[in-house]
């Protein structure tokens, strides 16, 4: 079973994140996300795009994986979604792969989960912004990045066709 080991830089970043909280009910989610990504990303890999509608999409490298963070807006009904591809499909022995992913979902993914997006196995987490704290934002991003980086090479070596 994989264990979650927090990145020491991410822990130190919580102090920075807490400074971004303007009061207990309102935080600047964009600034919090960017600070978390700054603490995790490697090789100046972080990129961001913003749509005219107020959606944001960040992409950065963590270990051997790419991590994406999407913010659909800034209201309580908007969502933050974090995902990281770990294996392209089709794969070898897909029934065994699916069983393994389901078992991992129950035992080792914390607030994240394995899923399939556009023929790729991904680690993902999503949450509405209502009552979302800066530390929860940090944890969502860190958990997805860490679990993806911990499992991608093992899944690739066992199940990848190419």
């Amino acid at each position: 079973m994989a264990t979650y080991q927090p990145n020491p830089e991410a822990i130190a970043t919580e102090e920075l994140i807490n400074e971004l909280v303007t009061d207990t009910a309102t935080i600047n989610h964009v600034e919090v996300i960017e600070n978390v990504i700054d603490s995790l990303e490697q090789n100046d890999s972080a990129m961001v795009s913003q749509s005219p509608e107020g959606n944001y999409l960040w992409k950065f490298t963590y270990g051997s994986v790419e991590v994406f963070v999407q913010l659909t807006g800034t209201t309580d009904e908007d969502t933050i979604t974090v995902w990281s591809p770990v294996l392209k499909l089709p794969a070898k022995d897909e029934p065994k792969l699916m069983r393994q992913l389901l078992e991992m979902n129950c035992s080792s993914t914390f607030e994240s989960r394995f899923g399939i997006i556009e023929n790729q196995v991904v680690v993902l987490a999503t949450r509405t912004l209502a009552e979302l704290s800066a530390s929860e934002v940090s944890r969502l991003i860190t958990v997805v990045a860490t679990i993806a980086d911990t499992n991608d090479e093992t899944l690739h070596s066992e199940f990848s066709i190419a």
Side-chain angles (χ1 to χ4, degrees):
M1 174 188 327
T3 58
Y4 169 71
Q5 296 294 324
N7 181 329
E9 292 176 359
I11 293 170
T13 304
E14 278 195 46
E15 293 174 8
L16 274 172
I17 292 168
N18 290 334
E19 291 176 16
L20 297 172
V21 178
T22 56
D23 64 45
T24 57
T26 307
I27 66 171
N28 184 328
H29 291 96
V30 173
E31 286 185 25
V32 170
I33 291 167
E34 289 180 348
N35 277 293
V36 172
I37 290 171
D38 283 344
S39 73
L40 295 175
E41 66 96 17
Q42 298 167 345
N43 304 321
D44 293 323
S45 61
M47 295 185 279
V48 63
S49 64
Q50 181 182 9
S51 73
E53 297 81 29
N55 298 326
Y56 289 84
L57 179 63
W58 291 267
K59 175 177 134 179
F60 67 97
T61 301
Y62 181 80
S64 58
V65 295
E66 287 187 327
V67 181
F68 298 85
V69 180
Q70 181 179 32
L71 186 64
T72 61
T74 57
T75 70
D76 282 354
E77 294 78 32
D78 286 309
T79 59
I80 178 173
T81 303
V82 185
W83 74 94
S84 180
V86 293
L87 180 67
K88 291 183 181 181
L89 296 175
K92 294 180 203 170
D93 199 356
E94 285 193 22
K96 180 181 177 185
L97 169 64
M98 296 306 148
R99 180 180 180 97
Q100 184 172 328
L101 295 176
L102 282 172
E103 289 172 353
M104 292 169 71
N105 276 350
C106 288
S107 65
S108 61
T109 56
F110 303 98
E111 296 86 4
S112 69
R113 63 197 178 279
F114 286 95
I116 297 173
I117 299 174
E118 296 179 5
N119 285 321
Q120 293 186 87
V121 175
V122 299
V123 178
L124 74 145
T126 190
R127 185 176 179 320
T128 62
L129 299 184
E131 300 179 18
L132 180 66
S133 71
S135 62
E136 287 176 290
V137 172
S138 178
R139 182 165 169 85
L140 280 177
I141 297 170
T142 303
V143 164
V144 169
T146 303
I147 290 175
D149 186 47
T150 300
N151 290 288
D152 69 316
E153 292 170 358
T154 303
L155 291 171
H156 191 276
S157 69
E158 186 171 351
F159 297 104
S160 181
I161 290 175

